[in-house]
Amino acid sequence: MTPRPATTLHPPDSDGVQPEGFSEVFAEQVLEGLSSRPKRIPSTWFYDHRGSELFEQITELNEYYLTRTETALLRGLRADLARLPAGAAVIEFGSGSSRKTPLLLDALKAPASYTAIDISGDFLRQSVQGLQLRYPHLLVQTLEADFSAPLTWPPALQSAVGQQPRIGFFPGSTIGNFTPEQAVRFLHGAAQFLGSGAHLLVGVDGTQDKARLLPAYDDARGVTAAFNRNLLIRINRELGADFNPQAFRHVARFDSARSRVEMHLLSPTPQTVRLLGQRFTFAEGETLHTENSYKYPIAVFQRMARASGWTPHQHWLAAEAAMALHLLQC
């Protein structure tokens, strides 16, 4: 979703004090999303500190096959990854906890630097502390940014990376959160950001089995439901809204025509929410669409990669599920 041009927004605080963490970009996108039909909010905003913590809990659930499947794939690729350029700068998009990063760093020959990119700054800095201790001779950097938007190198980070060969890392099938058109734009932007000759290792889920998919996005313990509702808690805290998160039901659906899992927050009864001086009404059964997770088969993803300036170099497919790791070259 592209935000409208920024306007001066005044949070409805009787003392004229902005709520903690107030962001005009966040406010613009939430207002636009709640005014849309159907209502929707970009999944980027899931990842405040609490949202990042909850997502890490999701990755440890039995139902969430994606993390363990991709981790097993990475562990088996040590010899293949060792053939990538030595002394490389590793750049991870949406680094989160950086839990899988050591599997790549340990396989590469003498990586020179690691740059973690994520939108949740506090969680990002907390996560790389362990990497700094584990790899004391590795230059570890952070870039707090929305990787779904065009990225530019801050001069200090770019200078530190210099002429090192660049290897991008985008695990977790996070690319599935983009529509096909958005995914092509991201891949094109990543090619420009990493530069000519760079490699990109991307995790992509192509699973189509509803019996496997839906539990992964609607677990028995309700962690994914809490993750989904945390978006409303964040809107309340940062934008001064009055959502009742428990008045919304977490819903996961598989749209086979679009090959995507959708997450929604459903209002079982009519209700009205106030936000930044405006009122938004939910009808009975109306949903707020919060996330898509597209499932891209190998051939589909390779076409998208070629369309965005990458050459598919190699791919590896997991035995447990239709999860693949793709190695691309710019």
Side-chain angles (χ1 to χ4, degrees):
M1 180 186 298
T2 303
R4 298 188 298 265
T7 57
T8 302
L9 298 170
H10 301 283
D13 188 299
S14 59
D15 298 324
V17 178
Q18 290 183 342
E20 177 187 356
F22 181 80
S23 159
E24 287 201 3
V25 175
F26 185 27
E28 286 281 343
Q29 293 198 6
V30 171
L31 286 172
E32 180 175 353
L34 291 175
S35 302
S36 302
R37 295 291 181 271
K39 294 180 174 67
R40 63 189 186 274
I41 295 177
S43 59
T44 305
W45 299 108
F46 275 137
Y47 298 97
D48 62 352
H49 192 276
R50 179 57 179 158
S52 297
E53 290 178 334
L54 285 167
F55 181 72
E56 289 308 310
Q57 293 178 32
I58 289 171
T59 65
E60 297 173 356
L61 296 169
N62 290 334
E63 297 98 325
Y64 198 78
Y65 63 90
L66 291 94
T67 300
R68 67 173 179 271
T69 304
E70 188 176 63
T71 299
L73 263 179
L74 279 167
R75 285 189 175 129
L77 297 183
R78 190 178 184 95
D80 296 279
L81 297 176
R83 300 189 186 100
L84 289 170
V90 177
I91 297 97
E92 183 170 1
F93 300 91
S95 55
S97 68
S98 300
R99 185 193 308 175
K100 298 170 189 170
T101 312
L103 297 173
L104 176 60
L105 294 177
D106 290 344
L108 296 174
K109 291 181 180 177
S113 66
Y114 169 70
T115 302
I117 305 172
D118 208 289
I119 196 170
S120 178
D122 290 342
F123 194 78
L124 171 66
R125 288 180 285 273
Q126 175 183 313
S127 297
V128 300
Q129 289 176 0
L131 289 177
Q132 290 173 324
L133 293 173
R134 180 167 179 166
Y135 304 98
H137 302 298
L138 181 71
L139 174 63
V140 177
Q141 310 182 116
T142 61
L143 174 57
E144 183 179 350
D146 177 4
F147 61 84
S148 67
L151 292 169
T152 56
W153 282 99
L157 298 190
Q158 187 170 36
S159 175
V161 169
Q163 299 304 309
Q164 299 162 3
R166 298 181 184 182
I167 299 173
F169 188 37
F170 194 34
S173 192
T174 308
I175 197 163
N177 294 146
F178 299 133
T179 66
E181 296 77 17
Q182 291 169 336
V184 168
R185 285 199 297 272
F186 165 78
L187 290 168
H188 178 71
Q192 293 183 314
F193 184 70
L194 295 174
S196 179
H199 291 81
L200 179 63
L201 186 64
V202 189
V204 183
D205 186 24
T207 303
Q208 304 291 316
D209 180 3
K210 185 186 295 188
R212 179 184 287 271
L213 285 169
L214 292 183
Y217 294 86
D218 191 9
D219 62 279
R221 288 173 49 194
V223 181
T224 312
F227 173 71
N228 203 4
R229 291 192 188 98
N230 184 67
L231 176 61
L232 304 183
I233 296 172
R234 180 180 188 180
I235 294 171
N236 286 350
R237 182 182 68 250
E238 297 184 15
L239 303 182
D242 63 353
F243 277 101
N244 177 2
Q246 296 306 315
F248 287 82
R249 182 161 58 87
H250 168 69
V251 174
R253 305 169 178 166
F254 181 57
D255 184 334
S256 57
R258 293 186 173 94
S259 189
R260 73 185 188 190
V261 177
E262 298 178 359
M263 290 205 325
H264 296 257
L265 288 165
L266 183 145
S267 177
T269 60
Q271 55 183 306
T272 299
V273 176
R274 291 174 294 181
L275 169 66
L276 298 170
Q278 299 186 40
R279 296 167 67 89
F280 299 94
T281 299
F282 285 81
E284 180 180 347
E286 186 177 3
T287 71
L288 175 61
H289 190 166
T290 54
E291 185 181 52
N292 292 318
S293 186
Y294 282 83
K295 305 302 173 181
Y296 295 123
I298 288 171
V300 172
F301 178 76
Q302 289 181 337
R303 284 198 299 270
M304 289 164 39
R306 291 188 183 96
S308 54
W310 293 94
T311 299
H313 181 72
Q314 195 171 358
H315 72 270
W316 302 268
L317 183 64
E320 179 185 351
M323 185 91 185
L325 281 166
H326 292 259
L327 181 62
L328 313 175
Q329 187 165 14
C330 184

